[in-house]
Amino acid sequence: MRAVVTDFDGTITKRDVAELLLQEFTGDAWLEIEREHARIGTRETLVREFDLVRATRLQILAAAERLAEIDPTFPTFLAYARRNGIPVEIVSEGFDTYLGHLLARWGLDVPFRTNHAEFDDDRIELSFPYADATCTLCGTCKMDRVLALRAAGYRVAYVGNGISDICPALEADLVFAKDDLAALCRKHEREHIPIRDFGDVQRGIASWQ
Ligand SMILES: [Mg+2]
C-alpha cells in the first residue's frame, strides 16, 4: 500500500501563499523574521510574522484568491492517485483560513492538517492543533503523519519544498523535493527525486510499485 503526504505552499501552489500574504500585508517587514526561520523554527517564525499583519478574514481570503496559483498538474495527479487507490493528504505550516478556502474554490477534496487562525477584526491569532507535544519547532508536525501512515501499513512518499519539510522527508520511504527542501536533502545526504511539479511526482509514483 502506497500513500502520499504533501506540503501545500509552494508545492501544490506555484508560490508560497503565506509568504505572498505576508508580502501583501506587511511589505518587506516579515523578511527580517524569515531570515531567522532555520534558527527559531517554523512556529515562532509564523507567530511573529503574522503578528505584523493587519487584515480581516475577508481581506485574507480575497488576497489569497487573487495571489494563489495552483500547480496545474496537481488535480491530474490527484485523479491518478484516486484511480490507483493511493491516499493523498496535505500537511501545512500555513493556516486553515486560506488553505481550506482555496481547495474548495479549486474543487479539490483532500484531507489536510494545518495551523488554525482566529480573527479578531484585523488581527490574526494562530494556534497549533497538530503540533507535536515534544517538539516546539513546528506548528503542524508533518512527520507525525508520515509515521502514522507507516504504522498503518503504508509506504509513504513525501512531497515538499521548504524548511518544515525536512523532518518528514528524513522519515519517508520516498522523497520528492524542490527549492529549499532539495537543498536540505543534499545537505543531509537524503536521497530524493528533484521535481518541478506534480507531473514529476506522478511519474515517480507510477514507477514506485
Ligand atoms: Mg512549502
Side-chain angles (χ1 to χ4, degrees), residues 71-99:
D71 166 2
T73 65
F74 182 69
T76 313
F77 165 75
L78 204 55
Y80 166 84
R82 293 259 153 87
R83 279 198 309 278
N84 288 276
I86 302 169
V88 176
E89 359 180 314
I90 295 168
V91 286
S92 166
E93 281 285 60
F95 55 91
D96 49 4
T97 312
Y98 72 82
L99 198 157

Side-chain angles (χ1 to χ4, degrees), residues 7-97:
D7 171 51
F8 181 79
D9 283 286
T11 300
I12 288 173
T13 61
K14 288 191 175 176
R15 295 180 62 196
D16 189 304
V17 181
E19 291 183 2
L20 291 169
L21 291 171
L22 288 167
Q23 194 66 39
E24 176 84 3
F25 292 106
T26 81
D28 287 338
W30 68 284
L31 288 169
E32 198 176 322
I33 302 165
E34 188 60 30
R35 279 191 278 277
E36 302 293 311
H37 188 164
R39 189 177 65 80
I40 64 178
T42 309
R43 193 189 308 181
E44 185 175 341
T45 302
L46 279 172
V47 166
R48 286 169 56 182
E49 288 174 346
F50 276 92
D51 213 36
L52 301 171
V53 171
R54 296 292 173 273
T56 64
R57 184 172 176 278
L58 286 178
Q59 287 175 309
I60 290 286
L61 292 180
E65 271 185 38
R66 178 163 45 82
L67 298 168
E69 213 184 328
I70 190 173
D71 166 2
T73 65
F74 182 69
T76 313
F77 165 75
L78 204 55
Y80 166 84
R82 293 259 153 87
R83 279 198 309 278
N84 288 276
I86 302 169
V88 176
E89 359 180 314
I90 295 168
V91 286
S92 166
E93 281 285 60
F95 55 91
D96 49 4
T97 312

